[in-house]
C-alpha cells in the first residue's frame, strides 16, 4: 500500500477498537508501518493480521499504557523492527488517572492551569 504516510513508522495505542482502530487501519492504507499497542492480545493480533491481509504492514505488542515499562517496550519494538519511530497516535480505551492528577475545584477559586 502507498500513500501520504509511505514508510512512516507509527505507534498506535488503543488500536484494537474505536478511533485507535480506525486510525491504525487508515494509516496502513496510506502506507504507514503500524505498531499496535493494546491490552487484549487476541484482538490485537487479529487487527494486525487483518491489516497485513489487506496489504498493509502491522504488528502487535501487548501494552498496558499505565505501565511505563510496557510503553517503553512498545516504542523499542517499533524501532527494532522498523529502524525508527516517526509518530504516535495514543487513544487508550480506558485511561486511568492517579488521584493526584485529578483537578480539584474550590468554590469561588478557579483551578490553576497546572492542576
Amino acid at each position: 500500500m502507498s500513500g501520504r504516510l509511505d514508510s512512516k513508522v507509527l505507534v498506535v495505542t488503543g488500536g484494537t477498537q474505536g478511533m485507535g482502530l480506525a486510525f491504525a487501519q487508515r494509516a496502513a492504507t496510506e502506507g504507514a508501518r503500524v505498531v499496535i499497542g493494546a491490552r487484549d492480545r487476541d484482538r490485537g493480533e487479529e487487527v494486525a493480521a487483518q491489516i497485513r491481509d489487506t496489504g498493509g504492514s502491522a504488528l502487535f505488542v501487548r501494552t498496558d499504557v499505565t505501565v511505563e515499562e510496557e510503553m517503553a517496550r512498545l516504542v523499542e519494538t517499533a524501532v527494532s523492527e522498523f529502524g525508527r519511530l516517526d509518530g504516535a497516535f495514543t487513544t487508550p480505551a480506558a485511561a486511568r488517572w492517579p488521584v493526584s492528577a485529578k483537578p480539584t475545584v474550590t468554590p469561588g477559586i478557579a483551578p490553576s492551569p497546572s492542576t
Side-chain angles (χ1 to χ4, degrees), residues 16 21 33 38 48 54 64 74-75 77 79 81 101:
T16 59
L21 172 60
R33 293 174 280 180
T54 59
D64 181 337
L74 177 64
V75 170
T77 300
V79 173
E81 291 291 322

Side-chain angles (χ1 to χ4, degrees), residues 101-112:
K102 292 182 181 176
T104 57
V105 178
T106 303
I109 300 175
S112 70

Side-chain angles (χ1 to χ4, degrees), residues 11 61 63-65 67-80 85:
V11 162
V61 178
T63 308
D64 181 337
V65 298
V67 179
E68 186 175 345
E69 294 81 11
E70 292 187 19
M71 287 297 293
R73 186 180 66 241
L74 177 64
V75 170
E76 290 164 0
T77 300
V79 173
S80 69
L85 177 62

Side-chain angles (χ1 to χ4, degrees), residues 89-114:
F89 186 83
T90 57
T91 60
R96 290 184 240 153
W97 300 98
V99 173
S100 62
K102 292 182 181 176
T104 57
V105 178
T106 303
I109 300 175
S112 70
S114 63

Side-chain angles (χ1 to χ4, degrees), residues 39-62:
R39 292 181 294 182
D40 184 340
R41 183 176 306 278
D42 292 339
R43 179 69 179 137
E45 294 290 356
E46 177 184 345
V47 169
Q50 288 171 350
I51 290 171
R52 289 189 302 269
D53 289 348
T54 59
S57 177
L59 61 95
F60 174 75
V61 178
R62 199 255 173 231

